Amino acid sequence: MRTIDWVDGHVLILDQTLLPHQVKMVSIATPAELADAIIRLAVRGAMALGVAGAFGIALAAFRAHEQGRSVDRAVDEAAALIKRSRPTAVNLPWGVDRALEVRAGGPLAILAAALAVRDQDITANRAIGQAGARMLQGVRRVLTHCNAGALAAVETGTALAIVERLHQAADLEVVYVCETRPLLQGSRLTAWELGRAGIPHRIIVDGAAAGLILSGAVDAVVVGADRIAANGDVVNKVGTVGHALAARRAGIPFVVGAPEATIDPTRASGRATPIEERDQAEVLDVAGHRAAAPGSTAFNPAFDITPADLVTAIVTERRVLTPASSASSDGAHVAL
Ligand code: MRU
């Protein structure tokens, strides 16, 4: 089962808002439907967003062609709509641009480019899994945050690809899964994936992570990324930087698995990256019911920035980067 694919002229996605209780594939026919699915997090995670972006341009091209409208105009409109649906993961505009590059070739050329983005994601993440597990050989207790598994990609994740490889090598004792407030990508999605793969895991509340790491119960923190700046700063799900700080204090590795497409050389540092701020209701409500005190408001950034000097390694499909060992004290001068 793939998280996202192209089937019969449509984009098929696994609706992640329904997991873990319902496994439902949804067929998407237009760029507007796709943008809505991205905003609702029905499809989410940096790599899946990259593939969605490319498929969205293919949808625009095919629908316009079928209806006798201008393909050029349709793909421009779709690109703008999809790119502004979520601002942080650089993979989304990257995927859109990969498809746009071949627009002159028409719908079939655009689809071929989008399918190549899909296939590249699969091979890149397999390589990340292998390289990351090689680096972390012997690690038995891993902590992860959010979901950087197959659900955040096409059929193989990044951080969870590393975890799966460690499990196959019989090294793994337990994966601590941070629940990942407010939308619970850890307890809903990562735990679901690990359960299906038979990988031993325990869900913890995000606030338990630092204490657990400092107690000596964790050998490595492994996460994904939504954007990696030119200086090696890592932008990932809110809460990630706290794990990096705790890992540094405990003297354990903080490892990021991400494809090369997640590196954004145009952003000098993480501070130059747009951080998505989502609806306050995601924080104030629990399971659709108001939990916070009446009248209180919330601040809901979806991502945070881990400075390069806290990152032990970034494992891509081509190389292992070591920002922490080459960073200056302010982490500002690592050229990736
Ligand atoms: O808001 P989400 O669920 O899209 O956030 C996803 C993450 O933060 C992942 O850790 C990140 O995309 C890396 S995994 C591809």
Side-chain angles (χ1 to χ4, degrees), residues 16 41 43-49 86 89 91 145-149 152-153 157-159 183 185 189 223-226 235-238 240 257 259 262 276 278 302-303:
Q16 300 190 36
L41 309 194
V43 57
R44 49 145 297 281
M47 292 86 63
L49 290 177
R86 289 194 81 191
N91 310 64
H145 192 74
C146 194
N147 172 265
T158 50
L183 296 178
Q185 287 94 329
L189 307 178
V223 295
D226 286 85
V235 180
N236 191 48
K237 178 56 56 191
V238 68
T240 301
T262 306
E276 178 182 12
R278 293 184 61 87
F303 301 93

Side-chain angles (χ1 to χ4, degrees), residues 215-283:
S215 77
V218 177
D219 300 318
V221 176
V222 184
V223 295
D226 286 85
R227 196 184 293 243
I228 297 168
N231 70 342
D233 288 353
V234 171
V235 180
N236 191 48
K237 178 56 56 191
V238 68
T240 301
V241 65
H243 308 323
L245 285 162
R248 168 55 53 87
R249 181 70 163 77
I252 63 169
F254 176 87
V255 174
V256 177
E260 292 281 332
T262 306
I263 298 174
D264 181 0
T266 71
R267 307 282 171 165
S269 74
R271 281 194 300 275
T273 291
I275 302 291
E276 178 182 12
E277 209 181 309
R278 293 184 61 87
D279 196 326
Q280 294 186 35
E282 292 177 353
V283 173

Side-chain angles (χ1 to χ4, degrees), residues 100-148:
L100 285 180
E101 273 166 17
V102 298
R103 61 191 295 165
L108 285 175
I110 291 172
L111 177 60
L115 293 173
V117 169
R118 177 200 65 186
D119 295 345
Q120 180 181 336
D121 179 71
I122 296 169
T123 48
N125 293 348
R126 283 199 192 120
I128 289 168
Q130 273 172 12
R134 210 166 27 244
M135 202 189 110
L136 291 174
Q137 206 173 6
V139 158
R140 290 166 37 245
R141 302 161 305 170
V142 170
L143 181 139
T144 193
H145 192 74
C146 194
N147 172 265

Side-chain angles (χ1 to χ4, degrees), residues 147-209:
N147 172 265
L151 291 169
V154 178
E155 62 175 39
T156 305
T158 50
L160 287 197
I162 297 173
V163 162
E164 278 158 22
R165 286 273 169 177
L166 289 171
H167 175 65
Q168 282 158 14
D171 286 337
L172 211 56
E173 182 183 308
V174 64
V175 182
Y176 289 107
V177 177
C178 292
E179 66 172 349
T180 315
R181 278 278 295 150
L183 296 178
L184 307 178
Q185 287 94 329
S187 59
R188 292 190 305 110
L189 307 178
T190 297
W192 183 74
E193 283 195 45
L194 293 174
R196 279 164 56 99
I199 299 176
H201 61 280
R202 299 182 83 180
I203 297 167
I204 58 170
V205 298
D206 301 340

